[in-house]
Amino acid sequence: PIMKTPLILILILLSSQAFGQKKNNKNYLISYVDSTSGKELIGYKSLKGDIIIKAKYQNGSDTLFKMAIVMTSQSEFVGIDRNDKIILKPYIYDNGPDYFEEGLIRFVENNKIGFANQDGQKIIKAKYSFATPFEDGISVYYIGGERIYDNGKTQKQINQESGAFDISDLHWTWGGEVTEGGYLNKYGQEFQKVTELINSKRDAWTKDGKHYQLNQKGQLLKN
């Protein structure tokens, strides 16, 4: 099931994840609030107090090392760098941007999903119709298909039958006309089959039948 998470909590979690991993790095920006326009807008300034990015965002991460997730005036989530340049658009999984899981966040490009790190570097190319967050070094991916909701219907079917119907509270799984499905590690290597993790190891087979062992981080172990 997909649970709703308040937007403020999501952005706090995103900030704390980044800050926790880079707490020894003092070269970062901090968010500030400007209410002179009548709205509370978020910008970023240096630790010395110099304004680097003027306040124009509806919300945003507390800190900006190399990337911050912010909400624009059009209520769109984007990842920006310290030059206020959009470097990616995070995957929206519920009512907010994706979480970092095992150091990576899903992003969307040309309606496909890829993975980026906390600096905003695109580590895995956006080529998947859907991919799950990483868990023990493995993501499940699909090429083709669509969301199938608990009532067994697609979003298109629901819209046709119910008009402008709010589907945000409906649970879904990925299905439909999937042309390829498999498993992915954080290095972009794809596998057709993987076993459960036992004693921090799992077996994995590629599409051409090659057999490997992976550790808990999804790394290939030497045979």
Side-chain angles (χ1 to χ4, degrees):
I2 299 174
M3 298 181 65
K4 293 286 184 182
T5 306
L7 173 59
I8 293 296
L9 179 57
I10 290 173
L11 292 169
I12 289 173
L13 288 170
L14 286 170
S15 296
S16 63
Q17 287 173 327
F19 193 78
Q21 291 195 9
K22 301 182 178 182
K23 59 185 178 182
N24 294 324
N25 180 358
K26 300 300 183 183
N27 184 22
Y28 62 92
L29 307 180
I30 55 175
S31 64
Y32 73 96
V33 178
D34 187 329
S35 304
T36 56
S37 66
K39 298 180 180 179
E40 287 193 351
L41 298 177
I42 300 292
Y44 291 89
K45 60 184 179 180
S46 70
L47 297 181
K48 295 180 179 179
D50 298 323
I51 293 176
I52 307 300
I53 298 174
K54 69 177 183 178
K56 62 178 182 178
Y57 295 110
Q58 293 188 49
N59 221 315
S61 308
D62 288 341
T63 56
L64 197 172
F65 287 86
K66 292 188 177 181
M67 179 180 71
I69 304 296
V70 298
M71 181 193 284
T72 69
S73 58
Q74 290 79 38
S75 298
E76 179 183 23
F77 287 103
V78 295
I80 61 169
D81 64 14
R82 295 168 67 119
N83 295 317
D84 199 18
K85 178 183 176 182
I86 295 175
I87 52 179
L88 59 76
K89 294 184 178 181
Y91 174 70
I92 305 301
Y93 71 95
D94 179 9
N95 62 337
D98 202 25
Y99 293 114
F100 283 98
E101 295 288 354
E102 299 187 4
L104 297 181
I105 189 173
R106 291 174 289 182
F107 72 93
V108 177
E109 197 171 89
N110 297 323
N111 294 319
K112 300 295 183 182
I113 291 177
F115 289 87
N117 64 18
Q118 291 177 333
D119 290 339
Q121 296 174 316
K122 296 172 181 177
I123 303 300
I124 297 175
K125 182 180 177 181
K127 57 178 281 191
Y128 303 103
S129 302
F130 181 70
T132 64
F134 278 97
E135 183 176 353
D136 292 327
I138 292 292
S139 165
V140 181
Y141 76 83
Y142 302 90
I143 296 176
E146 58 189 318
R147 294 183 183 187
I148 307 296
Y149 290 86
D150 280 355
N151 56 11
K153 297 178 180 179
T154 66
Q155 181 174 347
K156 183 177 180 180
Q157 289 172 323
I158 293 173
N159 290 342
Q160 287 175 340
E161 296 173 8
S162 309
F165 180 68
D166 183 10
I167 60 174
S168 61
D169 287 325
L170 295 181
H171 299 151
W172 54 269
T173 55
W174 199 261
E177 298 181 4
V178 174
T179 58
E180 182 184 330
Y183 303 87
L184 177 72
N185 68 9
K186 289 186 282 187
Y187 309 93
Q189 296 164 312
E190 297 173 354
F191 305 95
Q192 188 172 40
K193 178 184 176 182
V194 299
T195 61
E196 294 293 325
L197 196 68
I198 300 176
N199 297 325
S200 299
K201 294 181 182 179
R202 74 168 90 236
D203 291 300
W205 290 265
T206 61
K207 287 178 281 188
D208 56 3
K210 292 181 180 178
H211 171 248
Y212 297 94
Q213 274 199 324
L214 310 179
N215 63 16
Q216 195 166 355
K217 295 181 179 180
Q219 296 168 312
L220 271 61
L221 296 172
K222 294 182 179 179
N223 293 328

Short mmCIF file of all heavy atoms in Angstrom, two decimals, residues 74-106:
data_model
loop_
_atom_site.label_atom_id
_atom_site.label_comp_id
_atom_site.label_asym_id
_atom_site.label_seq_id
_atom_site.Cartn_x
_atom_site.Cartn_y
_atom_site.Cartn_z
N GLN A 74 4.73 26.81 -10.04
CA GLN A 74 3.71 26.01 -10.73
C GLN A 74 3.44 24.70 -10.01
O GLN A 74 2.83 23.79 -10.56
CB GLN A 74 4.16 25.71 -12.17
CG GLN A 74 4.16 26.91 -13.11
CD GLN A 74 5.38 27.80 -12.91
OE1 GLN A 74 6.48 27.31 -12.67
NE2 GLN A 74 5.18 29.10 -12.99
N SER A 75 3.91 24.60 -8.75
CA SER A 75 3.72 23.41 -7.91
C SER A 75 4.35 22.17 -8.51
O SER A 75 3.86 21.05 -8.33
CB SER A 75 2.23 23.18 -7.63
OG SER A 75 1.67 24.26 -6.92
N GLU A 76 5.46 22.35 -9.20
CA GLU A 76 6.21 21.23 -9.79
C GLU A 76 7.49 21.03 -8.99
O GLU A 76 8.17 21.99 -8.63
CB GLU A 76 6.55 21.52 -11.25
CG GLU A 76 7.34 20.41 -11.92
CD GLU A 76 7.74 20.75 -13.35
OE1 GLU A 76 7.82 21.95 -13.68
OE2 GLU A 76 7.97 19.81 -14.13
N PHE A 77 7.82 19.78 -8.70
CA PHE A 77 9.06 19.47 -8.01
C PHE A 77 10.20 19.33 -9.01
O PHE A 77 10.07 18.64 -10.02
CB PHE A 77 8.93 18.17 -7.21
CG PHE A 77 8.07 18.30 -5.99
CD1 PHE A 77 6.77 17.82 -5.99
CD2 PHE A 77 8.56 18.89 -4.84
CE1 PHE A 77 5.97 17.93 -4.87
CE2 PHE A 77 7.77 19.02 -3.72
CZ PHE A 77 6.47 18.54 -3.73
N VAL A 78 11.32 19.97 -8.70
CA VAL A 78 12.51 19.85 -9.54
C VAL A 78 13.74 19.80 -8.64
O VAL A 78 13.71 20.24 -7.49
CB VAL A 78 12.65 21.04 -10.53
CG1 VAL A 78 11.50 21.04 -11.54
CG2 VAL A 78 12.71 22.37 -9.79
N GLY A 79 14.82 19.27 -9.18
CA GLY A 79 16.11 19.31 -8.51
C GLY A 79 16.94 20.43 -9.11
O GLY A 79 17.10 20.48 -10.34
N ILE A 80 17.44 21.34 -8.29
CA ILE A 80 18.25 22.45 -8.77
C ILE A 80 19.67 22.36 -8.22
O ILE A 80 19.90 21.76 -7.15
CB ILE A 80 17.64 23.82 -8.39
CG1 ILE A 80 17.55 23.96 -6.87
CG2 ILE A 80 16.28 24.01 -9.06
CD1 ILE A 80 17.21 25.37 -6.40
N ASP A 81 20.61 22.95 -8.95
CA ASP A 81 21.98 23.03 -8.44
C ASP A 81 22.22 24.41 -7.83
O ASP A 81 21.30 25.23 -7.72
CB ASP A 81 23.00 22.70 -9.53
CG ASP A 81 23.00 23.70 -10.68
OD1 ASP A 81 22.40 24.80 -10.55
OD2 ASP A 81 23.59 23.39 -11.73
N ARG A 82 23.45 24.68 -7.46
CA ARG A 82 23.76 25.94 -6.76
C ARG A 82 23.68 27.15 -7.68
O ARG A 82 23.69 28.29 -7.21
CB ARG A 82 25.15 25.83 -6.12
CG ARG A 82 25.20 24.78 -5.02
CD ARG A 82 26.63 24.49 -4.61
NE ARG A 82 27.25 25.62 -3.96
CZ ARG A 82 27.71 25.63 -2.73
NH1 ARG A 82 27.60 24.55 -1.98
NH2 ARG A 82 28.28 26.69 -2.22
N ASN A 83 23.61 26.92 -8.98
CA ASN A 83 23.42 28.02 -9.93
C ASN A 83 21.95 28.22 -10.26
O ASN A 83 21.62 28.94 -11.20
CB ASN A 83 24.22 27.74 -11.21
CG ASN A 83 25.72 27.73 -10.97
OD1 ASN A 83 26.25 28.57 -10.26
ND2 ASN A 83 26.40 26.75 -11.54
N ASP A 84 21.07 27.55 -9.50
CA ASP A 84 19.63 27.63 -9.70
C ASP A 84 19.22 27.05 -11.05
O ASP A 84 18.21 27.44 -11.64
CB ASP A 84 19.14 29.08 -9.58
CG ASP A 84 17.64 29.16 -9.31
OD1 ASP A 84 17.05 28.15 -8.88
OD2 ASP A 84 17.05 30.23 -9.55
N LYS A 85 19.99 26.10 -11.53
CA LYS A 85 19.68 25.43 -12.80
C LYS A 85 18.97 24.11 -12.49
O LYS A 85 19.37 23.37 -11.59
CB LYS A 85 20.97 25.15 -13.58
CG LYS A 85 20.74 24.41 -14.89
CD LYS A 85 22.06 24.11 -15.57
CE LYS A 85 21.85 23.30 -16.85
NZ LYS A 85 23.14 22.95 -17.50
N ILE A 86 17.90 23.83 -13.24
CA ILE A 86 17.19 22.56 -13.07
C ILE A 86 18.05 21.45 -13.64
O ILE A 86 18.44 21.48 -14.82
CB ILE A 86 15.82 22.59 -13.76
CG1 ILE A 86 14.90 23.62 -13.08
CG2 ILE A 86 15.17 21.21 -13.72
CD1 ILE A 86 13.56 23.80 -13.78
N ILE A 87 18.36 20.46 -12.83
CA ILE A 87 19.20 19.35 -13.29
C ILE A 87 18.43 18.05 -13.40
O ILE A 87 18.89 17.13 -14.08
CB ILE A 87 20.45 19.18 -12.39
CG1 ILE A 87 20.06 19.08 -10.91
CG2 ILE A 87 21.42 20.32 -12.61
CD1 ILE A 87 21.26 18.88 -9.99
N LEU A 88 17.27 17.95 -12.74
CA LEU A 88 16.45 16.76 -12.92
C LEU A 88 15.04 17.02 -12.38
O LEU A 88 14.80 18.00 -11.66
CB LEU A 88 17.07 15.53 -12.24
CG LEU A 88 17.34 15.53 -10.73
CD1 LEU A 88 16.08 15.34 -9.90
CD2 LEU A 88 18.32 14.44 -10.38
N LYS A 89 14.14 16.13 -12.74
CA LYS A 89 12.79 16.14 -12.20
C LYS A 89 12.57 14.83 -11.46
O LYS A 89 12.59 13.77 -12.08
CB LYS A 89 11.76 16.32 -13.32
CG LYS A 89 11.85 17.67 -14.00
CD LYS A 89 10.75 17.86 -15.04
CE LYS A 89 10.85 19.25 -15.67
NZ LYS A 89 9.77 19.47 -16.67
N PRO A 90 12.39 14.89 -10.13
CA PRO A 90 12.24 13.65 -9.37
C PRO A 90 10.93 12.94 -9.71
O PRO A 90 9.95 13.57 -10.10
CB PRO A 90 12.24 14.13 -7.91
CG PRO A 90 11.75 15.54 -7.98
CD PRO A 90 12.27 16.08 -9.28
N TYR A 91 10.95 11.63 -9.55
CA TYR A 91 9.74 10.83 -9.74
C TYR A 91 8.76 11.18 -8.61
O TYR A 91 9.14 11.24 -7.45
CB TYR A 91 10.09 9.34 -9.71
CG TYR A 91 8.90 8.43 -9.76
CD1 TYR A 91 8.14 8.29 -10.91
CD2 TYR A 91 8.53 7.68 -8.63
CE1 TYR A 91 7.04 7.45 -10.95
CE2 TYR A 91 7.44 6.83 -8.67
CZ TYR A 91 6.70 6.72 -9.84
OH TYR A 91 5.61 5.89 -9.88
N ILE A 92 7.51 11.40 -8.97
CA ILE A 92 6.47 11.68 -7.98
C ILE A 92 5.72 10.38 -7.72
O ILE A 92 5.04 9.86 -8.60
CB ILE A 92 5.51 12.78 -8.47
CG1 ILE A 92 6.29 14.04 -8.86
CG2 ILE A 92 4.48 13.10 -7.40
CD1 ILE A 92 7.13 14.64 -7.76
N TYR A 93 5.91 9.85 -6.53
CA TYR A 93 5.34 8.52 -6.26
C TYR A 93 4.03 8.61 -5.50
O TYR A 93 3.29 7.65 -5.42
CB TYR A 93 6.33 7.67 -5.45
CG TYR A 93 6.51 8.14 -4.02
CD1 TYR A 93 5.77 7.58 -2.99
CD2 TYR A 93 7.41 9.15 -3.72
CE1 TYR A 93 5.92 8.03 -1.69
CE2 TYR A 93 7.56 9.60 -2.44
CZ TYR A 93 6.82 9.03 -1.43
OH TYR A 93 6.96 9.47 -0.14
N ASP A 94 3.73 9.75 -4.91
CA ASP A 94 2.53 9.86 -4.07
C ASP A 94 2.12 11.32 -4.11
O ASP A 94 1.61 11.80 -5.10
CB ASP A 94 2.88 9.36 -2.66
CG ASP A 94 1.69 9.45 -1.71
OD1 ASP A 94 0.58 9.73 -2.17
OD2 ASP A 94 1.89 9.26 -0.50
N ASN A 95 2.37 12.03 -3.05
CA ASN A 95 2.06 13.46 -3.03
C ASN A 95 3.33 14.30 -2.94
O ASN A 95 3.30 15.45 -2.53
CB ASN A 95 1.14 13.80 -1.85
CG ASN A 95 1.79 13.50 -0.51
OD1 ASN A 95 2.70 12.68 -0.44
ND2 ASN A 95 1.31 14.12 0.54
N GLY A 96 4.44 13.71 -3.31
CA GLY A 96 5.68 14.44 -3.23
C GLY A 96 6.81 13.72 -3.95
O GLY A 96 6.61 12.67 -4.55
N PRO A 97 8.03 14.29 -3.92
CA PRO A 97 9.16 13.70 -4.63
C PRO A 97 9.63 12.41 -3.97
O PRO A 97 9.40 12.18 -2.78
CB PRO A 97 10.24 14.79 -4.52
CG PRO A 97 9.89 15.53 -3.27
CD PRO A 97 8.40 15.52 -3.20
N ASP A 98 10.28 11.59 -4.76
CA ASP A 98 10.80 10.31 -4.30
C ASP A 98 11.79 10.50 -3.15
O ASP A 98 12.46 11.53 -3.05
CB ASP A 98 11.50 9.63 -5.48
CG ASP A 98 11.60 8.12 -5.31
OD1 ASP A 98 10.78 7.54 -4.59
OD2 ASP A 98 12.50 7.52 -5.92
N TYR A 99 11.88 9.50 -2.29
CA TYR A 99 12.91 9.47 -1.25
C TYR A 99 14.22 8.97 -1.85
O TYR A 99 14.23 8.24 -2.83
CB TYR A 99 12.53 8.52 -0.12
CG TYR A 99 11.36 8.91 0.72
CD1 TYR A 99 10.19 8.16 0.70
CD2 TYR A 99 11.43 10.01 1.57
CE1 TYR A 99 9.11 8.50 1.49
CE2 TYR A 99 10.35 10.35 2.36
CZ TYR A 99 9.20 9.59 2.32
OH TYR A 99 8.14 9.94 3.10
N PHE A 100 15.33 9.33 -1.18
CA PHE A 100 16.59 8.66 -1.48
C PHE A 100 16.57 7.31 -0.78
O PHE A 100 16.33 7.23 0.43
CB PHE A 100 17.78 9.48 -0.97
CG PHE A 100 18.11 10.65 -1.85
CD1 PHE A 100 17.65 11.93 -1.53
CD2 PHE A 100 18.87 10.48 -2.99
CE1 PHE A 100 17.95 13.01 -2.35
CE2 PHE A 100 19.18 11.55 -3.81
CZ PHE A 100 18.72 12.82 -3.49
N GLU A 101 16.82 6.27 -1.52
CA GLU A 101 16.94 4.92 -0.96
C GLU A 101 18.31 4.38 -1.36
O GLU A 101 18.64 4.34 -2.54
CB GLU A 101 15.84 3.99 -1.47
CG GLU A 101 14.44 4.38 -1.06
CD GLU A 101 14.15 4.13 0.42
OE1 GLU A 101 15.02 3.54 1.09
OE2 GLU A 101 13.07 4.51 0.90
N GLU A 102 19.10 4.05 -0.36
CA GLU A 102 20.45 3.53 -0.58
C GLU A 102 21.26 4.50 -1.47
O GLU A 102 22.01 4.10 -2.34
CB GLU A 102 20.40 2.12 -1.18
CG GLU A 102 19.69 1.15 -0.25
CD GLU A 102 19.75 -0.30 -0.70
OE1 GLU A 102 20.42 -0.61 -1.71
OE2 GLU A 102 19.12 -1.14 -0.04
N GLY A 103 21.04 5.80 -1.23
CA GLY A 103 21.83 6.83 -1.89
C GLY A 103 21.33 7.27 -3.25
O GLY A 103 21.91 8.17 -3.85
N LEU A 104 20.25 6.67 -3.74
CA LEU A 104 19.75 7.02 -5.07
C LEU A 104 18.28 7.41 -5.02
O LEU A 104 17.51 6.93 -4.18
CB LEU A 104 19.92 5.84 -6.04
CG LEU A 104 21.35 5.39 -6.33
CD1 LEU A 104 21.35 4.24 -7.32
CD2 LEU A 104 22.20 6.54 -6.86
N ILE A 105 17.91 8.30 -5.94
CA ILE A 105 16.54 8.77 -6.06
C ILE A 105 16.09 8.55 -7.51
O ILE A 105 16.90 8.66 -8.44
CB ILE A 105 16.45 10.27 -5.69
CG1 ILE A 105 15.00 10.75 -5.60
CG2 ILE A 105 17.22 11.12 -6.68
CD1 ILE A 105 14.86 12.18 -5.08
N ARG A 106 14.83 8.21 -7.69
CA ARG A 106 14.32 8.04 -9.05
C ARG A 106 14.02 9.41 -9.66
O ARG A 106 13.51 10.30 -8.99
CB ARG A 106 13.03 7.20 -9.03
CG ARG A 106 13.28 5.74 -8.67
CD ARG A 106 11.99 4.97 -8.51
NE ARG A 106 11.28 5.37 -7.29
CZ ARG A 106 10.13 4.83 -6.88
NH1 ARG A 106 9.56 3.87 -7.60
NH2 ARG A 106 9.57 5.24 -5.76
#
